[in-house]
Amino acid sequence: GLELKLADGTVLPVRANGPFRVAELVSEGTGLGLQVAAAPRHPGQHCDVTGDGRVRSASDTIKVVCRIGNPLGPEYLVTPVAATACTQKNISPRSFDYASAPNPQMAGTAPQTVTVELGSPRAVTEVRFSVSPGTAGFSRDEVLAGLHADEWVRIGVIAKETSESAELRIGLDRAGAQCAERIRIDVVEAPGMVSLAKIRITAAASNVPQYFGYFGDSFPYLSPVESEIADHTNISRVSCEFGCPQEIVDGILRAAARGVKSAVAIHESVRFDSNYRLRPDLEERWNPFAEAIRPYTQHNAFLYPNDEPYALARMFGASAADAKRDLDMLVAVMKKTFPDMPMAFSFNRSDFEAGVTFSQPANPQADAREAAKRLELAQNYAQLASSDSSVVGLFGFIYQNDFVDIERFPGIQHWPELREKYAEVGRSITSQHAVPDP
């Protein structure tokens, strides 16, 4: 996401660590006027240009140094998305589903490696793992952290005598937390056969999303709740059901009246046909919609082009690649009208959003189990939002009651502990403090 801007207005994207070149030749002594136009977003960083930005000789370089801020919130045990083991001898490479097999083991002689994928950049503060050598003796283990592909930083070395089931630890203080998307453990030297297991990675929250709101707070068919949620929200998802685009405009003005921004949902009649394919007359449908909301852009946080795009694509038999292509085309049309307006998408979590109600007839034990499950999910979402810099906002699904056919679907409003948890998280986000410890 790093973009540099030259004095003549030329924008220079820089996509990776390492040297970058300015396309045009520059005379010696010329001032480039190099500035940071956009900082990296994933993870979020602050960047400074060193020196005075002038070129004095053919060998001159200008450095741009980007730093990740210190961790902001509580530390937590990371749940990796995958782990891959590889040894040179005695065992074939294999992969582990870390979620379902939390204690993967591998056995072999040195050298051997386990790479753990964290799923998104995390501010890693500790790595623990167990080694079980078949023979007591000297071993050397190195722990590396990677943020970009094939770029590794050594964060610790453990070289000592080890014996059966020794737990090894690399710890970093919070100020020196290493931002990483993957962790690699290398068994460089061992006295014989050795197994490596029980990898535990601890990280600290390093992201504060900008927005907190409720997905359904502005559905026109639900009771208004602006006054009840005003103390911990700063965004409202604005949609239309019966009268587009005037309902959108009304929703934007309602949100603005209580001092919050709008996430403007684009109605499906503008975007897709009944087979979930982009409409051939997309631009003709989009233009009047865009003109209706144009006068209110100062009140809008972002456009919400499509709800749960990948889940819906699967329902209609489309591949993820098809969905991505259509989303790119859809966003390109919208960006022609609003080039500076951010776009945001949501992703589906069906066991959180749909279908489970209070038990019928009432069953206090079942209701308590359901309340505990929803509270755990809320905590997990808060942790994700405070760890992954691509998350710009957190939306509890629906605050009010709704109905599925004739059956009541209780919203967050009717789950006291869940309501308080979201209020707590919302107050932290809207005040731009770290999400509290779950």
Side-chain angles (χ1 to χ4, degrees):
L2 176 62
E3 293 183 351
L4 306 176
K5 185 166 68 174
L6 306 182
D8 64 1
T10 301
V11 174
L12 174 66
V14 181
R15 297 302 181 216
N17 288 342
F20 58 90
R21 299 180 68 88
V22 179
E24 301 298 324
L25 293 175
V26 179
S27 301
E28 288 187 16
T30 301
L32 282 176
L34 196 68
Q35 296 179 327
V36 177
R41 298 181 299 274
H42 191 63
Q45 296 166 65
H46 173 76
C47 302
D48 295 304
V49 179
T50 63
D52 61 4
R54 298 180 70 84
V55 178
R56 293 181 175 82
S57 71
S59 61
D60 272 2
T61 61
I62 297 175
K63 286 186 178 180
V64 181
V65 179
C66 297
R67 295 180 177 87
I68 299 159
N70 287 340
L72 300 168
E75 296 184 44
Y76 57 88
L77 189 66
V78 179
T79 303
V81 297
T84 304
C86 181
T87 66
Q88 285 194 347
K89 302 175 184 178
N90 302 325
I91 195 168
S92 300
R94 57 190 176 124
S95 296
F96 301 100
D97 177 351
Y98 204 95
S100 61
N103 299 318
Q105 285 201 5
M106 54 180 287
T109 54
Q112 55 179 305
T113 294
V114 172
T115 302
V116 181
E117 301 289 341
L118 307 185
S120 64
R122 312 296 175 104
V124 174
T125 56
E126 183 184 70
V127 179
R128 289 178 182 265
F129 54 98
S130 296
V131 293
S132 297
T135 305
F138 180 83
S139 66
R140 178 183 174 91
D141 303 284
E142 298 184 359
V143 179
L144 302 96
L147 184 59
H148 306 286
D150 300 322
E151 292 184 11
W152 294 96
V153 175
R154 184 183 291 109
I155 61 174
V157 176
I158 302 172
K160 65 177 188 177
E161 298 285 323
T162 54
S163 57
E164 183 67 22
S165 300
E167 183 178 68
L168 305 181
R169 172 185 178 274
I170 296 292
L172 305 169
D173 63 43
R174 288 173 64 84
Q178 179 67 44
C179 193
E181 196 158 1
R182 56 191 62 83
I183 293 292
R184 195 178 90 201
I185 301 172
D186 289 346
V187 179
V188 179
E189 188 176 343
M193 292 284 289
V194 63
S195 64
L196 185 63
K198 295 183 180 178
I199 302 166
R200 297 290 182 267
I201 298 165
T202 302
S206 55
N207 178 58
V208 179
Q210 292 175 265
Y211 301 109
F212 182 88
Y214 293 94
F215 188 85
D217 73 326
S218 290
F219 287 175
Y221 56 86
L222 295 176
S223 58
V225 291
E226 284 89 346
S227 60
E228 190 170 346
I229 64 176
D231 71 324
H232 64 281
T233 59
N234 63 356
I235 194 166
S236 175
R237 180 185 179 274
V238 175
S239 61
C240 57
E241 301 292 333
F242 311 116
C244 274
Q246 186 57 46
E247 276 182 12
I248 293 281
V249 173
D250 294 343
I252 293 172
L253 293 176
R254 264 198 320 273
R258 65 182 174 98
V260 304
K261 294 279 190 178
S262 293
V264 178
I266 310 305
H267 195 264
E268 60 185 12
S269 63
V270 174
R271 308 175 265 110
F272 296 114
D273 61 22
S274 58
N275 294 314
Y276 199 67
R277 306 300 303 182
L278 273 185
R279 293 182 181 276
D281 57 348
L282 169 63
E283 285 202 64
E284 289 80 359
R285 289 172 176 267
W286 162 247
N287 288 333
F289 188 97
E291 289 308 307
I293 65 174
R294 186 190 294 276
Y296 312 100
T297 53
Q298 73 271 26
H299 301 305
N300 300 338
F302 50 78
L303 296 179
Y304 185 70
N306 193 37
D307 187 30
E308 299 175 355
Y310 292 100
L312 285 171
R314 284 195 302 272
M315 288 175 57
F316 284 87
S319 67
D322 290 339
K324 177 67 164 57
R325 182 198 62 234
D326 285 353
L327 290 176
D328 285 341
M329 294 173 64
L330 177 62
V331 167
V333 169
M334 295 177 181
K335 282 287 190 179
K336 282 169 57 178
T337 311
F338 300 116
D340 299 322
M341 183 72 70
M343 306 282 161
F345 297 88
S346 68
F347 292 86
N348 176 284
R349 176 73 186 204
S350 58
D351 62 346
F352 177 68
E353 294 182 355
V356 181
T357 68
F358 286 120
S359 51
Q360 307 281 345
N363 182 324
Q365 289 78 23
D367 289 345
R369 286 193 298 271
E370 181 59 26
K373 185 178 86 169
R374 293 186 180 221
L375 186 61
E376 181 181 9
L377 282 168
Q379 293 169 345
N380 290 343
Y381 286 127
Q383 181 173 300
L384 173 63
S386 63
S387 302
D388 188 337
S389 57
S390 66
V391 177
V392 296
L394 185 63
F395 285 74
F397 176 54
I398 190 169
Y399 192 80
Q400 312 95 309
N401 275 349
D402 197 1
F403 288 85
V404 179
D405 297 325
I406 61 172
E407 188 172 275
R408 186 165 65 98
F409 179 83
I412 292 166
Q413 186 181 34
H414 299 279
W415 304 80
E417 290 184 352
L418 185 63
R419 182 180 67 230
E420 182 50 39
K421 170 53 66 176
Y422 274 122
E424 178 187 18
V425 173
R427 283 189 288 267
S428 296
I429 290 175
T430 56
S431 64
Q432 287 299 286
H433 295 136
V435 172
D437 190 343

